[in-house]
């Protein structure tokens, strides 16, 4: 099942916040994505109704299995694409911002080729290094 890019961004944000801080709350998601709290509340309701997340009594958001799978896939794409962009000389801030745009649109075939290329570079000791 294909979900919308905005839902992917929310799920990825929840994962990132959970990895960084041990939990994610709607206010944290709003801050990370730059959205209003009411917008995030509407999105969380939709994600909850579709079985991607669960809200705890303390207000924290928990990724359910299918939400976590999507979040991890998008986050892996984000990190790998950013790494590839930095390897060709793009500064870190721009690389992560651009990766956020690319991660949703790149085909699975292209992503897997990028991943294999970076893994080969890492084995040779040339992956992720900036030239210049």
């Amino acid at each position: 099942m294909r979900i919308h890019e905005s839902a992917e961004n929310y799920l990825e944000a929840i994962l990132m916040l959970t990895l960084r801080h041990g939990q994610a709350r709607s206010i944290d998601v709003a801050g990370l994505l730059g959205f209003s709290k009411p917008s995030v509340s509407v999105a969380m309701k939709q994600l909850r109704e579709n079985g991607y997340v669960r809200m705890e009594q303390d207000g924290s958001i928990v990724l359910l299995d299918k939400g976590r799978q999507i979040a991890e896939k998008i986050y892996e794409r984000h990190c790998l694409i950013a790494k590839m962009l930095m390897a060709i000389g793009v500064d870190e801030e721009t690389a992560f911002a651009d990766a956020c745009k690319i991660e949703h649109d790149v085909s699975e075939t292209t992503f897997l080729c990028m991943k294999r290329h970076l893994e080969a570079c890492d084995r040779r000791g040339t992956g992720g290094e900036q030239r210049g």
Side-chain angles (χ1 to χ4, degrees):
M1 178 176 135
R2 177 85 173 117
I3 67 168
H4 293 284
E5 180 178 327
S6 61
E8 290 177 342
N9 284 334
Y10 279 109
L11 294 170
E12 181 186 24
I14 294 164
L15 176 65
M16 290 169 59
L17 288 164
T18 302
L19 292 172
R20 288 181 197 159
H21 306 293
Q23 71 172 0
R25 296 173 302 133
S26 291
I27 191 75
D28 303 320
V29 173
L32 181 63
L33 296 177
F35 297 152
S36 71
K37 178 81 167 66
S39 295
V40 173
S41 293
V42 169
M44 289 305 113
K45 180 179 183 220
Q46 292 173 342
L47 291 173
R48 222 177 28 254
E49 289 173 352
N50 288 298
Y52 294 107
V53 301
R54 178 181 75 236
M55 300 297 288
E56 297 293 320
Q57 290 293 336
D58 67 358
S60 61
I61 306 162
V62 176
L63 290 168
L64 298 176
D65 286 342
K66 71 179 187 175
R68 177 168 288 281
Q69 288 173 358
I70 293 166
E72 288 175 347
K73 176 183 173 186
I74 296 299
Y75 187 61
E76 178 189 26
R77 285 173 167 244
H78 190 127
C79 293
L80 186 131
I81 292 166
K83 182 178 179 181
M84 180 165 266
L85 293 173
M86 288 185 287
I88 61 172
V90 178
D91 67 273
E92 185 175 357
E93 183 178 343
T94 303
F96 275 95
D98 287 349
C100 192
K101 299 170 194 167
I102 296 168
E103 67 195 16
H104 304 283
D105 294 324
V106 68
S107 71
E108 188 67 17
T109 301
T110 299
F111 175 74
L112 291 174
C113 287
M114 293 169 74
K115 186 175 180 177
R116 278 194 303 273
H117 176 77
L118 275 181
E119 287 169 350
C121 289
D122 285 345
R123 283 192 299 276
R124 290 192 309 266
T126 59
E129 298 172 7
Q130 291 188 11
R131 303 275 182 236

